[in-house]
């Protein structure tokens, strides 16, 4: 046997036992005639002791060990004289009697330690080394535990785990598809699924009643911290349900996961349900971070037209937030905030600030345009007290200005330490618009997807006022991150055809793209609905990560590249010929 124990399981109760360990060399230290070697495996680190007086040849061999050598050690468990309380195995050490080098290692390109000296690029290139680090490994262990808990809960509720195809047909709407050429059908292509949406609906038509799948999804989108070209969903669907039924069972599952996996009690109260329009008005976001307040206060009624400040007088929206106790912010700090909102990523024209003084007077950056009476009204409307700082953003586009103010609110939350990663605030955002206008396409697009059911009371508006139709849709938000979303689905072929018409599909095009689903509805489709959780996002929240990359074993970088496998890459001309494909240059 290569080992009788792992490097993380020995304790003081094992003193006196002879054991065999195997693992990687973490570090070596020579002190006089003694050599200390820490060896590591997935389970932990154990200190090995080589004594020159006892066995000089063995000690000399240990002195030649390099970092990340794979070794096998035989020895006796001994109580340590200088114990290390920071290590689970810190009460013991192994007095080595045998050393077998199983494999040598080159010097690794970065230190395999929790606080490594390796940058992102080098760690992604050598991801198999990065995964040896205890904190990265812990993220994968957390992900494993999370998946087990999901399966356990959904199984207890009667859900069946059913796999769906990875090679499907390409459909419009949503993000760009990744497409796969078919050798057996030249000139035709599969697509990798953006989600199993239509397939899980067909499973409801098939009578499966309750389905789930922990499934890979693929979207050819621009990347960011919480987005990868391939990601994992917990995909779920149920028959004979309404919105309340779905929200109730998945709220229960969420509380179960937090308690079982994160040991965090979300309490017995139901999550807040906030209409989309309220979320946008109060927080400028359809995924508001509810760990802290600093809600928007609209100031159009006070500031527009009551002074000589043209920026406000021409604005379609003027809103502010109140940062408690921040009136002492220096000019440098205020300039930093101004530069933040004016950055290309945010795009605001500027930032107005006002300090509430101890005597309740208001000192602002627009004093020459507004009277003290007006600024006092602003402070009163914002419930600002002496010592508070008021920050105001305006703009000609109300929705855009609210989004800019949202970014400022989140930045202030970060600066004031209000976004504690060990605190969790969840809510449901409901009553989304059914459609949104696309400037690029010059038509209405589905805000979620074209299979989302409209609110029953809004169905007549599909003919008269489709822009104001609300969807029977819902998103779950945790700490300002959309962790899941879903809807009640359309199960009637006539209504589905109407939605396609509103979206600009001809009957022929709708039949070509989605005929398989519409035809299935004609054979007795039950009312159904569901949702999908972003597993990567959920696990990254549990782990307190800023990016989902470190809870994915082999992620892509921000350019969508796998730098470890050097993918995507060119293929041989013979492969292209076999697929009947030719490549054109950028100039063609």
């Amino acid at each position: 046997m290569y080992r009788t124990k792992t490097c993380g399981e020995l304790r003081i109760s094992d003193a006196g036992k002879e054991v065999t360990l195997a693992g990687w060399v973490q570090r070596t230290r020579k002190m006089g005639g003694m050599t200390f070697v820490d060896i590591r495996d997935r389970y932990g680190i154990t200190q090995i002791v080589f004594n020159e007086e006892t066995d000089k040849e063995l000690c000399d061999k240990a002195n030649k060990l390099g970092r990340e050598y794979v070794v096998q050690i035989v020895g006796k468990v001994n109580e340590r004289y200088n114990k290390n309380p920071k290590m689970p195995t810190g009460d013991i050490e192994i007095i080595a009697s045998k050393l077998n080098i199983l494999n040598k290692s080159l010097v690794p390109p970065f230190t395999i330690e929790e606080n490594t000296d390796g940058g992102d690029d080098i760690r992604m290139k050598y991801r198999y080394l990065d995964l040896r680090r205890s904190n990265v490994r812990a993220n994968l262990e957390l992900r494993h535990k999370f998946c087990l808990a999901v399966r356990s809960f959904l199984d207890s509720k009667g859900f069946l785990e059913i796999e769906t195809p990875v090679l499907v047909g390409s459909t419009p709407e949503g993000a760009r598809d990744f497409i796969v050429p078919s050798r057996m059908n030249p000139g035709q292509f599969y697509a990798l699924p953006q989600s199993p949406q239509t397939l899980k609906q067909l499973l409801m038509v098939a009578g499966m009643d309750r389905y789930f799948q922990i499934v890979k999804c693929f979207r050819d989108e621009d990347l960011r911290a919480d987005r990868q070209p391939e990601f994992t969903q917990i995909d779920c669907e149920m028959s004979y349900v309404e919105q309340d039924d779905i929200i109730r069972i998945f709220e229960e599952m969420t509380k179960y996961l937090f308690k079982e996996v994160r040991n965090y009690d979300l309490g017995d109260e139901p999550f807040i349900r906030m209409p989309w329009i309220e979320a946008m008005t109060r927080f400028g976001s359809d995924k508001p971070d509810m760990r802290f307040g600093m809600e928007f206060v609209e100031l159009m009624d006070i500031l527009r037209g009551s002074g000589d400040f043209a920026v406000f007088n021409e604005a379609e929206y003027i809103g502010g937030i109140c940062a408690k106790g921040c009136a002492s912010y220096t000019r440098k700090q205020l300039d930093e905030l101004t530069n933040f909102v004016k950055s290309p990523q945010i795009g605001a024209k500027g930032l107005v600030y006002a300090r509430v003084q101890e005597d309740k007077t208001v000192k602002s950056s627009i004093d020459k345009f507004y009277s003290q009476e007006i600024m006092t009204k602003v402070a009163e409307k914002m419930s600002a007290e002496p010592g508070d700082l008021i920050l105001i953003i305006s703009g000609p586009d109300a929705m855009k200005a609210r989004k800019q103010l949202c970014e400022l609110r989140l930045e202030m939350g970060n600066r004031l330490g209000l976004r504690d990663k060990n605190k969790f605030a969840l809510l449901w955002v409901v009553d989304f618009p059914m459609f949104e206008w696309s400037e690029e396409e010059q038509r209405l697009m589905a805000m979620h997807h074209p299979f989302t059911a409209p609110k029953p009371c809004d169905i007549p508006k599909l003919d008269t006022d489709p822009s104001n139709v609300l969807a029977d849709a819902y998103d779950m938000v945790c700490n300002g991150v959309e962790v899941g979303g879903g809807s009640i689905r359309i199960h009637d072929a006539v209504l589905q055809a109407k939605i396609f018409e509103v979206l600009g599909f001809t009957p022929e095009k709708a039949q070509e793209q989605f005929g398989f689903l519409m035809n299935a509805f004609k054979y007795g489709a039950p009312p159904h609905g569901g949702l999908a959780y972003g597993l990567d996002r959920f696990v990254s929240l549990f782990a307190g990560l800023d990016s989902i990359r470190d809870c994915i074993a082999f992620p892509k970088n921000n350019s969508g590249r796998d730098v470890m496998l050097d993918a995507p890459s060119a293929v041989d001309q013979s492969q292209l010929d076999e697929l009947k494909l030719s490549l054109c240059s950028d100039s063609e």
Side-chain angles (χ1 to χ4, degrees), residues 18 28 78 95 109 140 148 292 319 324 335 361 368 412 417 435 439 469 497 515 529 552 586:
E18 184 170 278
T28 62
N78 185 56
I95 307 301
L140 297 188
L148 288 181
F292 64 106
K324 294 293 181 183
D335 286 346
T361 59
K368 64 181 179 180
M412 290 304 297
F435 308 105
E439 290 293 338
V469 173
I552 298 172
D586 291 340

Side-chain angles (χ1 to χ4, degrees), residues 57 78 117 127 257 276 317 357 382 390 463 512 587:
E57 184 180 349
N78 185 56
D117 57 359
R127 182 62 167 175
L257 292 173
W276 177 86
Y317 177 82
Q357 314 283 12
M382 299 195 71
I390 297 168
D463 290 313
E512 176 188 336
S587 59

Side-chain angles (χ1 to χ4, degrees), residues 296-309:
F296 296 2
V297 177
E298 190 168 316
L299 301 169
M300 290 281 286
D301 57 334
I302 299 175
L303 293 174
R304 184 174 179 180
S306 59
D308 295 327
F309 193 41

Side-chain angles (χ1 to χ4, degrees), residues 489-498 518 521-522 525-526 528:
R489 323 299 188 190
I490 297 167
H491 66 280
D492 174 75
V494 175
L495 179 58
Q496 185 66 75
K498 183 64 184 177
M518 298 167 71
F521 287 167
K522 298 173 183 177
H528 60 281

Side-chain angles (χ1 to χ4, degrees), residues 261-292:
V261 180
R262 189 59 169 70
N263 195 28
Y264 189 96
D265 192 348
L266 290 172
D268 298 324
E269 292 296 314
F271 297 166
I272 296 168
R273 297 191 197 182
M274 185 180 296
W276 177 86
I277 190 63
E278 181 182 339
M280 297 304 297
T281 302
R282 291 172 59 188
F283 301 101
S285 171
D286 56 8
K287 44 183 185 294
D289 189 339
M290 302 293 286
R291 284 173 292 182
F292 64 106

Side-chain angles (χ1 to χ4, degrees), residues 96-374:
S97 57
K98 292 181 182 178
L99 165 61
N100 183 19
I101 298 175
L102 302 174
N103 214 331
K104 294 182 179 181
S105 171
L106 297 174
V107 176
F110 54 88
T111 54
I112 314 296
E113 295 178 359
E114 191 161 319
N115 296 314
T116 182
D117 57 359
D120 283 351
D121 290 342
I122 195 75
R123 290 193 301 107
M124 290 304 102
K125 182 178 176 72
Y126 297 94
R127 182 62 167 175
Y128 47 86
L129 297 180
D130 194 40
L131 290 172
R132 292 181 190 174
R133 295 168 55 220
S134 59
N135 49 335
V136 182
R137 184 190 66 245
N139 295 334
L140 297 188
E141 291 172 347
L142 177 67
R143 185 186 182 104
H144 165 73
K145 187 176 180 182
F146 188 94
C147 290
L148 288 181
V150 167
R151 287 188 164 97
S152 175
F153 178 87
L154 292 174
D155 178 64
S156 74
K157 299 297 181 181
F159 284 77
L160 297 178
E161 184 171 11
I162 303 173
E163 292 184 4
T164 53
V166 173
L167 296 175
V168 297
S170 179
T171 57
E173 303 294 325
R176 295 181 185 88
D177 287 330
F178 284 103
I179 60 172
V180 181
S182 170
R183 179 185 59 81
M184 292 183 288
N185 301 277
Q188 294 184 311
F189 298 83
Y190 299 106
L192 302 180
Q194 295 186 30
S195 79
Q197 180 59 51
T198 56
L199 295 162
K200 65 183 179 182
Q201 290 190 252
L202 290 173
L203 287 171
M204 296 303 101
V205 177
M208 295 300 102
D209 194 71
R210 292 190 173 195
Y211 140 95
F212 87 97
Q213 185 180 190
I214 297 178
V215 59
K216 279 285 187 186
C217 301
F218 307 86
R219 294 178 188 171
D220 190 3
E221 297 179 297
D222 294 334
L223 304 187
R224 58 192 187 204
D226 64 351
R227 183 184 284 169
Q228 284 270 303
E230 54 178 308
F231 59 96
T232 307
Q233 282 187 353
I234 307 166
D235 201 50
C236 306
E237 199 79 1
M238 304 167 68
S239 292
Y240 305 108
V241 289
E242 296 177 333
Q243 184 181 117
D244 284 349
D245 301 309
I246 294 172
I247 285 179
R248 185 172 57 251
I249 195 166
F250 289 104
E251 201 168 289
E252 182 185 350
M253 183 176 92
T254 301
K255 291 179 177 180
Y256 171 82
L257 292 173
F258 268 90
K259 189 67 177 174
E260 186 75 12
V261 180
R262 189 59 169 70
N263 195 28
Y264 189 96
D265 192 348
L266 290 172
D268 298 324
E269 292 296 314
F271 297 166
I272 296 168
R273 297 191 197 182
M274 185 180 296
W276 177 86
I277 190 63
E278 181 182 339
M280 297 304 297
T281 302
R282 291 172 59 188
F283 301 101
S285 171
D286 56 8
K287 44 183 185 294
D289 189 339
M290 302 293 286
R291 284 173 292 182
F292 64 106
M294 221 180 292
E295 293 187 24
F296 296 2
V297 177
E298 190 168 316
L299 301 169
M300 290 281 286
D301 57 334
I302 299 175
L303 293 174
R304 184 174 179 180
S306 59
D308 295 327
F309 193 41
V311 173
F312 283 177
N313 292 339
E314 296 169 5
E316 286 301 316
Y317 177 82
I318 307 170
I321 57 174
C322 180
K324 294 293 181 183
C326 292
S328 60
Y329 260 38
T330 64
R331 184 55 190 250
K332 180 182 178 182
Q333 289 173 303
L334 292 169
D335 286 346
E336 286 174 352
L337 290 176
T338 301
N339 292 334
F340 172 78
V341 300
K342 290 173 71 175
S343 67
Q345 296 87 347
I346 311 300
K349 295 297 184 184
L351 177 66
V352 170
Y353 62 86
R355 310 174 198 264
V356 183
Q357 314 283 12
E358 288 304 315
D359 61 0
K360 295 191 177 180
T361 59
V362 181
K363 183 71 175 173
S364 78
S365 57
I366 50 173
D367 279 347
K368 64 181 179 180
F369 300 110
Y370 291 95
S371 67
Q372 184 61 215
E373 180 185 0
I374 293 294

